[in-house]
Amino acid sequence: YVLHVTGLAGVVPAIANVQPGDDAVEVTLDTPISIAFDRSVVPGNGSIEIYRFDNDQLVQSFDVSSPLVAFSQNNVTFTPTIPLSPFTQ
């Protein structure tokens, strides 16, 4: 996945891991996406955006204050509300 995260100020945390990972197979449509960062993260202002890899079209955007986004120490978890097709990043 390539995720666009907006609204960050100061030192931007680096993504340490994403689950499900690239090239994961047999992932159900309702599987949560979990992003582990190299430091603790907290919700503020901004969004998490998911784009198609092949044409850079926005698929879905999540406001970080949405109940669809959960923060826990250095992890952010969200579940897309629409099925992700191949080539989604």
Side-chain angles (χ1 to χ4, degrees):
Y1 294 92
V2 176
L3 302 167
H4 297 231
V5 181
T6 64
L8 298 172
V11 177
V12 177
I15 294 175
N17 189 26
V18 177
Q19 291 296 325
D22 284 345
D23 300 322
V25 294
E26 298 184 25
V27 176
T28 62
L29 296 177
D30 59 349
T31 298
I33 296 172
S34 181
I35 307 168
F37 291 93
D38 66 342
R39 67 191 74 198
S40 292
V41 291
V42 295
N45 297 318
S47 61
I48 298 170
E49 299 172 341
I50 303 172
Y51 287 84
R52 282 190 53 92
F53 178 75
D54 59 344
N55 64 10
D56 206 33
Q57 177 183 5
L58 179 65
V59 174
Q60 189 165 10
S61 180
F62 298 88
D63 187 297
V64 296
S65 63
S66 163
L68 298 173
V69 180
F71 287 79
S72 177
Q73 298 179 345
N74 66 328
N75 291 298
V76 177
T77 302
F78 58 96
T79 303
T81 58
I82 58 173
L84 298 180
S85 62
F87 306 111
T88 303
Q89 55 178 343

